[in-house]
Structures are given as C-alpha cells and as structure tokens.
C-alpha cells in the first residue's frame, strides 16, 4: 500500500514545485523506496497537447502516448521512472470524464456536482496503481487560493481523510521574500498561504521555503510556530546553479528525513547518494566548453525546448564538458544569410515544431551544417527539414516540401516529400487518421520500435539495431523518395519494423549528420545520457578542436 505525499504551492507561482517533487522522489529512491510521481493541473484543456509551447512550455510525451505537462519530464529525469498516461490529469480531462459518464447515464439520474462527482473522479485518479509503489507523490498545479484549483484541494483533503491516519502527508512550497531596505526575510506571506490552506481543511506537515538568503534559525522557529509545522519540517530551498543540485541540496536541508519522520518511518533507511554525487562531479568539474546553436521557432521561451536543453546538458556530462546552448530564431534566415549567424558553433540542432513559419530558415540551417561538415542533429521537424533540404539541393527536386505547409496554406505548392500519414500500425492495431480530424491526441504518439541498418552511424552510436523511441508527429518522410536520396548519400538508416516509415536519416560522407523522426531528448537522464546526445556533444568537442 502506497503512502501519499501531496505537494502544493503558495504565495507565487513558479517556485519550483515540480523540481522539489522530483528531487524528493529521487531521495526516497536513494533510501531504497519505489516511487511514482503525478501531476494534477487545474486548467481546462483536456491535455497540454493543443497548447502553444509559448504558453505552457514543452509537451512531454510518455511511452504510452500521453501528451503531458513538462513537469513529468523532470520527474523522469530525476527518478528514471517512465511516466504513464495515468500520471498527468487536468480539470479538463476530469470534467470530460464526468460529462461522458453523465451522458452514458452512469450516475443514474443524480444531479452532477463538483462535490462529490468531480472530487470522486479526482480521488479515483490519484489512487490508480497505488499498490505498485511505496510512495505516490502528487503535485497540484497552480497556487492555493486559485478558484480553478479548489476541486483538487478538496479532493486531496478528502483523500487523506478517507485513508488511515499516517498514510498521507501534505508538503507546501512558499516564498520568503527579502526586503533589502530592512535586510529581513519576511514570513508573513508564508503564514497567509498556510492560513489559506488550513481554511480549506489542509494542514501542511512540511513547508519548503524558497529564499534567496539564508534562513536564520530564529525565522525557521517562527515559521514553524506560526504555521503549526515542526521546526525540522521547515525546509530551506535556496537558489541553485543547476537543477541537478536539488537532490543533494534538499537532502542537506533535511527534506527526505522530514518526510520519513512525518510518516513515522523509523529507523530511516540510510540513503545512497552516489548517483547524484557523480552527477554533480561531472557538472562541476567539466573541462572546456562547446557551443551548440538550437535553430528553432519558440526561442523566446526556453521551456519550449526543455527536454532538449536538458539532454544537451546530459550529453555534456557524458563528455565532461559544458554545453553552452544558444537559441537562434529560424525566421532570421528568411531575411539574412545564415552563415554569419551560425559560424563559430560547434554543432547545430534543429528541434521539433509545427507549422510553416520558420521552416525555410531551418532548411538553410541544415544546408549550412551539411555543406560545412558541422555536426547536425535534426529532431522530428528538424529531420523533415533536413530531408527536404537534401531533396531540393542535392537530389534536384526543386519544389520539395511538406504537405503540412500546403494544408496550412490551403493550396498545393510543394512536392510532398513529407506527407500526411493516414494509416499506421501500433502493436496489433492499425490506426487511421484523416486530414480534418481533431487536433488533440491524434498524432502518432508514444513509443514505437525502429530497426537500424547494421553498420550505420546510428547503429554504432546506439550499440544496437533495435531501438524504441517516443514520437509526436502527424507527417512522415515518404519512402517514394528513398532511392533518389540514398543514391546521393542520404541513408535511411532507421525504419519502422515494417519498413514503411523512415525513422532516421544520415549523410554518409559527413562527420555527424543525423535526423530522427522521434524525440530522443525525452528519454535522456543526467545519470544516463541518451546515446545520441552523448555522441552529438562528443562530435561537437571534436569540431571545437578543429577550429
Ligand atoms: N509538424 C511535424 C509533424 O507533425 C513535426 C512534429 C514535431 O516536430 N514534433 O509531423
């Protein structure tokens, strides 16, 4: 039977609740416990799949094909536990389930209300698979006091009330602002936030206080006393240079001990923190630096490519170098020659994306990397653009393009080297899609196998010819053009097992040029860097030695 930890936030948003949850998960693992992390989000979108990366950051895709919040990426990177569809839910999904049941007549004529119908739906969700782990960590998105979060707060209150005493605890994150004029940390917002939480029936067992300045012992005592939390359970969370410091930093502040104390687990198993010490050693003792350009569309908001940035950091750790990522707006190349902008980088990465805007710039970036022998990693749209570049500039198909852009523009301008996939095989099923289908949840999503060509560059990098990677796209490279492209040296070195869908392309006579239809960044961990990212950074190190 799992123990439940509910994580909430107060005072302001963006306090690093997801990171604190992920770090706590990793610390419980270090003490020998199994964990699963969940995110409950109050927004009304059924899932984040249809939200712009500008609004909500990256969409994190799970093996079982759910489009989830980017916090699930943190959870996976810190615990190595593969997230599932049932680890992420929004108000939209909960309401949609409830309304579907209402239409089906499942509620037998009852009046449907937030309490109990919506709250019961949330409670059922929280309990899914509880027998599988020692600890279930559930993070509630948003901030206490938000109107839309209320059903979630009420549901976790009831959940803890329904369970035997000691099976659930509440951890609350707050901010201690610093007033420079008086040189003081202020505890009042924290007191108010806890008061707000208590007014809806939740008494926190642990307080995690974000602060830019050291929290004096006296202040901790005061917070503990006023908020009715034990002094040892008032945990300081200071700003960190790297998110990967979080497990060791939280351990040092006593977070995992406080959690075990709150559950009355004694004696506490000793933690083994070797994994995180090695991670920190690699981060802090990096020698040298490589510069990688990410040529994309959503460059104003770094969270839009969160997993890619992290995977590059992991690649750096594998090679004991620092990776300096710079964001280059692809649209710049609509007007300007890419050369002066891309010169000086040791590698170029073109990430995934949707829609035509910026794609001509990405094609130019691929061309630059191909012609100059600069390491290039194209991910999803970045692979499709590399193929279009090859088709146009090497194989002589001048009008090569993607159907995606023709659909968007409502006219036919391109030869569809990249086309809309309408039917594919998933396990024992054939999935079918039409062009006008719903936008939400209808892409080729989640983990699919790929077979790599023996002796190819990617087979060497993976050390295997059978891989499984996560997908999120509607369009595919058409195998109709395979012969023409391979004749020019662009090898289709990875295919779906039935041979119908190109998964990987690589230039034969190039030091490092790989395009992948999937998202390798989603599976990279600091303690297990993804082989493609590790080798991409290694190639960047080589380039840096040449210049
Ligand atoms: N827009 C492209 C497609 O749907 C690529 C998607 C992506 O990069 N994730 O196929």
């Amino acid at each position: 039977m799992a123990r439940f930890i509910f994580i909430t936030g107060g005072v302001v948003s963006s306090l690093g609740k997801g990171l604190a949850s992920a770090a706590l998960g990793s610390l419980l693992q270090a003490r020998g416990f199994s964990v699963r992390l969940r995110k409950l989000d109050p927004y009304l979108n059924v899932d984040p799949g249809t939200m712009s990366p500008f609004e909500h950051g990256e969409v994190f895709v799970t093996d079982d094909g759910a489009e989830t919040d980017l916090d699930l990426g943190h959870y996976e990177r810190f615990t190595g536990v593969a997230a599932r569809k049932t680890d992420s839910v929004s108000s939209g999904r909960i309401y949609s389930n409830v309304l579907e049941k209402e239409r089906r007549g499942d509620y037998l004529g009852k009046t449907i209300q937030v309490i109990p119908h919506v709250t019961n739906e949330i409670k059922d969700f929280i309990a899914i698979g509880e027998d599988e782990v020692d600890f279930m960590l559930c993070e509630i998105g948003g901030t206490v006091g938000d109107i839309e979060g209320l059903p979630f707060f009420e549901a976790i209150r009831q959940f803890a009330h329904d369970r035997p005493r000691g099976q659930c605890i509440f951890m609350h994150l707050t901010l201690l602002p610093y007033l420079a004029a008086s040189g003081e940390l202020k505890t009042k917002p924290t007191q108010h936030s806890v008061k707000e939480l208590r007014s809806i029936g939740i008494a926190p067992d642990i307080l995690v206080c974000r602060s830019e300045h050291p929290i004096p012992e006296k202040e901790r005592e005061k917070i503990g006393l006023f908020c009715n939390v034990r002094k040892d359970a008032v945990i300081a969370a200071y700003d960190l240079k790297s998110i990967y410091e979080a497990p060791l930093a939280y351990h040092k502040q006593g977070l995992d001990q406080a959690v075990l104390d709150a559950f009355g687990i004694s004696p506490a198993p000793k933690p083994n923190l070797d994994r995180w010490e090695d991670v920190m050693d690699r981060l802090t003792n990096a020698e040298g630096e490589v510069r990688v350009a990410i040529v994309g569309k959503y460059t104003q908001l770094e969270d839009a490519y969160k997993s890619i940035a992290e995977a590059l950091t992991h690649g750096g750790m594998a090679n004991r170098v620092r990776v300096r990522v710079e964001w280059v707006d692809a649209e710049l190349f609509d007007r300007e020659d890419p050369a002066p902008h891309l010169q000086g980088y040791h590698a170029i990465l073109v990430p995934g994306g949707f829609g035509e805007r910026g794609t001509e710039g990405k094609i130019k970036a691929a061309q630059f990397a191909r012609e100059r022998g600069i390491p290039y990693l194209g991910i999803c749209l970045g692979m499709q653009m590399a193929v279009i570049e090859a088709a146009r500039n090497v194989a002589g198909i001048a009008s090569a393009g993607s159907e995606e852009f023709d659909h968007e523009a409502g006219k036919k301008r391109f030869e569809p080297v990249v086309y809309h996939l309408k039917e594919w095989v998933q396990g024992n099923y054939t999935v079918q899609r039409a062009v006008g289908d719903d936008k939400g949840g209808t892409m080729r999503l989640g983990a699919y196998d790929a077979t790599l060509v023996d002796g190819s560059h990617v087979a060497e990098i993976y050390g295997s010819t059978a891989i499984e990677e996560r997908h999120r796209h509607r369009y595919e490279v058409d195998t109709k053009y395979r012969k023409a492209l391979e004749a020019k040296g662009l090898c289709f070195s990875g295919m779906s097992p039935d041979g119908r869908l190109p998964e990987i392309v690589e230039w034969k006579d190039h030091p490092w040029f790989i395009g992948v239809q999937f998202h390798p960044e989603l599976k990279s961990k600091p303690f297990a860097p993804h082989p493609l990212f590790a080798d991409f950074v290694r190639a960047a190190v080589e380039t840096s030695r040449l210049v």
Side-chain angles (χ1 to χ4, degrees):
M1 201 172 52
R3 293 178 168 93
F4 290 84
I5 304 170
F6 294 107
I7 298 126
T8 58
V11 183
V12 290
S13 58
S14 309
L15 280 179
K17 248 186 309 162
L19 183 59
S21 309
L24 175 57
S26 72
L27 289 174
L28 291 169
Q29 284 180 319
R31 293 195 186 247
F33 296 106
S34 59
V35 300
R36 179 162 287 285
L37 287 109
R38 281 203 171 138
K39 178 87 195 272
L40 292 82
D41 268 311
Y43 51 74
L44 279 171
N45 302 62
V46 172
D47 63 41
T50 50
M51 283 156 116
S52 159
F54 286 125
E55 294 247 337
H56 199 72
E58 152 188 287
V59 174
F60 190 81
V61 182
T62 59
D63 277 333
D64 60 3
E67 298 176 277
T68 70
D69 188 84
L70 83 177
D71 272 327
L72 269 76
H74 283 316
Y75 302 167
E76 278 202 26
R77 281 188 283 274
F78 280 81
T79 64
V81 177
R84 300 180 189 149
K85 238 182 203 123
T86 47
D87 293 330
S88 167
V89 83
S90 63
S91 290
R93 165 75 64 206
I94 294 285
Y95 277 96
S96 147
N97 290 353
V98 168
L99 294 177
E100 209 175 285
K101 287 185 187 169
E102 186 271 336
R103 292 289 84 181
R104 263 203 322 253
D106 289 5
Y107 297 118
L108 306 172
K110 287 259 180 311
T111 306
I112 311 307
Q113 295 179 301
V114 173
I115 305 169
H117 300 97
V118 170
T119 45
N120 282 352
E121 191 71 25
I122 298 171
K123 289 198 284 181
D124 290 348
F125 174 82
I126 293 168
I128 294 170
E130 63 172 310
D131 295 331
E132 293 172 27
V133 288
D134 299 322
F135 285 95
M136 191 79 87
L137 286 75
C138 298
E139 178 192 345
I140 315 295
T143 309
V144 61
D146 296 347
I147 292 176
E148 53 188 15
L150 278 173
F152 287 110
F153 284 97
E154 171 60 11
I156 60 175
R157 182 195 71 76
Q158 289 183 13
F159 191 97
H161 177 261
D162 297 344
R163 298 294 174 128
R165 198 179 281 280
Q167 201 191 344
C168 303
I169 66 165
F170 295 94
M171 170 169 138
H172 189 57
L173 264 85
T174 70
L175 175 73
L176 298 186
Y178 179 76
L179 279 195
S182 56
E184 277 177 322
L185 281 176
K186 304 310 273 182
T187 64
K188 196 69 86 188
T190 295
Q191 294 177 42
H192 277 289
S193 176
V194 170
K195 193 169 150 204
E196 180 82 33
L197 205 55
R198 290 163 68 93
S199 74
I200 51 176
I202 295 172
D205 300 282
I206 297 185
L207 277 181
V208 173
C209 303
R210 279 295 297 269
S211 168
E212 286 175 10
H213 293 267
I215 307 177
E217 201 55 20
K218 206 172 79 279
E219 293 303 301
R220 268 177 40 148
E221 263 170 44
K222 180 170 151 193
I223 296 167
L225 184 65
F226 288 2
C227 298
N228 203 27
V229 170
R230 284 163 191 274
K231 194 185 87 195
D232 293 344
V234 179
I235 307 294
Y238 300 125
D239 294 348
L240 305 171
K241 277 208 270 315
S242 156
I243 55 170
Y244 299 118
E245 273 178 63
L248 294 180
Y250 274 122
H251 176 69
K252 200 168 144 218
Q253 297 300 331
L255 176 63
D256 43 332
Q257 187 61 54
V259 166
L260 297 178
D261 288 346
F263 281 113
I265 298 173
S266 160
K270 288 250 164 323
N272 176 351
L273 296 165
D274 292 355
R275 169 184 275 187
W276 294 104
E277 269 149 19
D278 179 54
V279 163
M280 280 321 291
D281 175 52
R282 285 173 181 276
L283 265 179
T284 42
N285 299 317
E287 291 153 23
E289 179 178 271
V290 291
R291 295 176 66 211
V292 178
I294 299 189
V295 181
K297 183 165 71 168
Y298 315 109
T299 46
Q300 298 99 314
L301 180 68
E302 284 191 24
D303 271 358
Y305 301 116
K306 188 78 194 150
S307 292
I308 291 181
E310 294 308 324
L312 284 169
T313 303
H314 308 160
M317 287 156 67
N319 293 280
R320 287 191 177 271
V321 292
R322 260 185 313 280
V323 178
R324 198 157 104 214
V325 171
E326 279 166 44
W327 311 88
V328 180
D329 183 1
E331 279 181 279
L332 193 63
F333 305 157
D334 288 348
R335 307 179 295 272
E336 292 176 35
D337 176 19
H341 296 284
L342 292 179
Q343 246 148 15
Y345 289 108
H346 306 126
I348 294 170
L349 190 151
V350 176
F354 293 84
E356 185 170 9
R357 197 158 60 76
T359 52
E360 290 300 324
K362 292 178 183 181
I363 291 170
K364 285 189 187 155
Q367 180 180 10
F368 178 87
R370 174 178 60 78
E371 290 175 348
R372 306 279 181 115
I374 307 293
Y376 176 94
L377 177 57
I379 293 176
C380 210
L381 188 68
M383 173 221 196
Q384 296 172 356
M385 294 308 105
V387 172
I388 291 172
E389 192 278 316
R392 285 187 192 173
N393 301 328
V394 186
I397 310 169
S399 62
S402 169
E403 265 193 325
E404 178 173 8
F405 316 143
D406 275 347
H407 287 152
E408 200 180 50
K411 49 184 172 230
K412 188 159 166 37
R413 299 163 296 163
F414 295 122
E415 166 128 14
V417 170
V418 177
Y419 71 104
H420 187 278
L421 185 70
K422 307 219 172 44
E423 193 180 292
W424 69 93
V425 180
Q426 180 169 35
N428 289 331
Y429 298 94
T430 300
V431 187
Q432 288 181 322
R433 297 276 188 264
V435 172
D437 278 355
D438 279 1
K439 285 276 175 281
T442 52
M443 283 184 263
R444 183 150 92 95
L445 284 168
Y448 284 85
D449 292 332
T451 310
L452 312 187
V453 173
D454 218 356
S456 61
H457 193 188
V458 279
E460 185 198 318
I461 292 169
Y462 275 94
S464 165
T465 54
I467 61 163
E468 190 197 74
E469 294 282 5
R470 294 183 196 166
H471 291 247
R472 180 171 185 255
H473 54 106
R474 242 178 268 284
Y475 297 83
E476 299 276 346
V477 172
D478 197 331
T479 46
K480 213 163 68 189
Y481 303 92
R482 179 173 184 174
K483 256 214 185 99
L485 290 164
E486 290 202 324
K488 298 289 183 189
L490 185 72
C491 303
F492 286 45
S493 51
M495 299 292 291
S496 59
D498 62 7
R500 288 177 52 202
L501 306 174
E503 294 275 2
I504 307 178
V505 295
E506 60 186 52
W507 277 109
K508 226 191 338 216
D509 299 318
H510 188 288
W512 212 104
F513 192 111
I514 294 173
V516 294
Q517 188 57 78
F518 46 79
H519 291 276
E521 72 275 18
L522 301 178
K523 297 223 298 198
S524 189
K525 322 264 182 319
F527 44 83
H530 191 286
L532 275 177
F533 281 90
D535 206 64
F536 180 58
V537 174
R538 187 198 53 72
V541 173
E542 266 179 25
T543 314
S544 74
R545 294 211 177 109
L546 295 177
V547 289

